Amino acid sequence: MIVGITGSIGSGKSLVASELARLGAYVLDLDVIARELVEPGMPALAEIRVEFGPEYILEGGSLNRRALGRLVFSEPEALRRLNKIMFPKLVEATKERLDEVSGQYDLVVVDAAILYQAGLDKLVDKVIAVTAEKEIRIARIVKRDKLSYEEASVRVSGQGELDEIAGRSADLVIDNSGAPQALRSKLMDGLRLLGIDVSSQTADSIFPDDE
């Protein structure tokens, strides 16, 4: 079975993906794939340079992620232009990775915030959406990425439609506004509802006893 996991920035979707990996799933992290696609010498990076200008390329030739992130999270049109470059390449790369591991794992996970927007939901059998309250997500991003409150707030607001789309279309929605152990309990219950049996592999969870 192929399961897509999606959710807005700061929702905790990658924590869910990590727990599924511990339970034996093979996880495709779209953030990792996206970073690989914009490494120096890759076509996507050259297209970004043409589309947005050399000021978004660092002196060593790598992408200035922070500068581009500030731009696309504050300007919807800039995000649309970036997505036009990246989405087709992400879909193709995901298809290639899924083909490579086909038949090798009982459970394969596609961890992608842009699962629906890029059309990656068409490649999976089930979708789990992870949500959380806005202020909680902002606080997590400030702590994790060492951003200011204002920067984190812009990034969260820039993904405002993700929760709505996921909540409308996902097979399972998990609210991760509480403690990590509550998330684990909801995940285990949800997996059973989806017909995914992980009962024999639930010891030594990655979730801490408290936040």
Side-chain angles (χ1 to χ4, degrees):
M1 179 182 287
I2 303 175
V3 173
I5 297 180
T6 191
S8 302
I9 186 170
S11 64
K13 68 177 181 59
S14 292
L15 186 59
V16 171
S18 295
E19 175 71 354
L20 291 175
R22 189 195 63 80
L23 294 171
Y26 180 85
V27 177
L28 291 176
D29 186 334
L30 265 290
D31 286 341
V32 172
I33 294 175
R35 285 194 291 271
E36 293 172 354
L37 290 174
V38 295
E39 288 178 351
M42 296 295 285
L45 184 61
E47 292 181 41
I48 289 171
R49 183 187 181 97
V50 171
E51 183 68 32
F52 295 98
E55 61 267 33
Y56 293 98
I57 307 298
L58 295 171
E59 186 174 338
S62 60
L63 180 66
N64 189 334
R65 301 177 190 282
R66 186 152 190 172
L68 187 60
R70 283 196 297 265
L71 175 68
V72 300
F73 279 108
S74 61
E75 296 184 18
E77 176 58 22
L79 180 60
R80 186 196 66 77
R81 289 157 53 204
L82 179 62
N83 288 344
K84 186 176 180 181
I85 293 170
M86 294 302 299
F87 280 1
K89 296 175 176 59
L90 285 168
V91 171
E92 187 60 31
T94 302
K95 286 180 179 178
E96 290 176 0
R97 304 292 175 89
L98 289 175
D99 287 342
E100 289 172 2
V101 301
S102 178
Q104 299 182 39
Y105 298 88
D106 292 332
L107 181 61
V108 176
V109 171
V110 177
D111 176 5
I114 43 79
L115 188 81
Y116 287 107
Q117 290 85 340
L120 293 165
D121 58 301
K122 297 178 178 64
L123 305 180
V124 306
D125 302 307
K126 300 288 184 181
V127 175
I128 298 174
V130 185
T131 66
E133 295 174 9
K134 181 177 180 180
E135 288 301 318
I136 291 174
R137 288 161 49 207
I138 291 173
R140 289 171 179 166
I141 299 165
V142 168
K143 181 178 180 180
R144 183 191 70 194
D145 298 340
K146 297 179 172 55
L147 299 176
S148 68
Y149 179 90
E150 290 72 21
E151 287 176 313
S153 181
V154 166
R155 295 197 173 202
V156 167
S157 298
Q159 292 188 331
E161 82 284 1
L162 289 183
D163 285 339
E164 180 183 350
I165 295 171
R168 202 169 54 233
S169 307
D171 299 286
L172 173 67
V173 178
I174 300 176
D175 185 347
N176 182 31
S177 298
Q181 281 295 340
L183 173 61
R184 180 180 185 274
S185 177
K186 292 175 182 178
L187 173 61
M188 294 301 125
D189 290 343
L191 291 176
R192 284 188 283 271
L193 287 174
L194 295 179
I196 302 172
D197 182 14
V198 294
S199 58
S200 62
Q201 308 178 72
T202 55
D204 302 323
S205 170
I206 65 167
F207 291 97
D209 291 331
D210 53 48
E211 296 182 298

